[in-house]
Amino acid sequence: MVMESFQRDTTIEAGCRKFDVPGFVLSRWRQEFRQNGPGAFEGKKKQQSPPAPGESPEELKKIIGELTVQNELLKKSRGLLGN
């Protein structure tokens, strides 16, 4: 995004709209890049940690399915008891 903002045919405003980033953030990033070059952004990437147990999409889908079945069984049992 920073490199694209330095191109002559791109305005800062267009870059902000394209990447949905506030102008002051892009201006700060451009300043950091001018001072430190590409090294300005090293180590700033978000570290993605592995999902905690029970948080993978497959596990969550399984849990949702089990809860849905339990919910339906409870609804049916309430209907049988006349509540």
Side-chain angles (χ1 to χ4, degrees), residues 10-62:
T10 304
T11 64
I12 292 176
E13 293 81 15
C16 291
R17 281 191 304 273
K18 179 178 178 180
F19 295 102
D20 195 28
V21 173
F24 73 92
V25 172
L26 180 55
S27 295
R28 187 179 62 222
W29 290 348
R30 286 169 50 104
Q31 182 181 9
E32 286 181 39
F33 183 81
R34 281 189 196 112
Q35 293 172 348
N36 304 314
F41 304 111
E42 288 180 13
K44 291 189 178 183
K45 292 181 182 177
K46 290 183 180 178
Q47 298 286 334
Q48 290 191 357
S49 59
E55 289 186 0
S56 73
E58 294 79 25
E59 290 177 8
L60 291 174
K61 287 177 186 177
K62 182 180 175 185

Side-chain angles (χ1 to χ4, degrees), residues 52-72:
E55 289 186 0
S56 73
E58 294 79 25
E59 290 177 8
L60 291 174
K61 287 177 186 177
K62 182 180 175 185
I63 292 169
I64 290 170
E66 291 171 356
L67 291 172
T68 301
V69 170
Q70 290 176 6
N71 194 21
E72 290 301 316

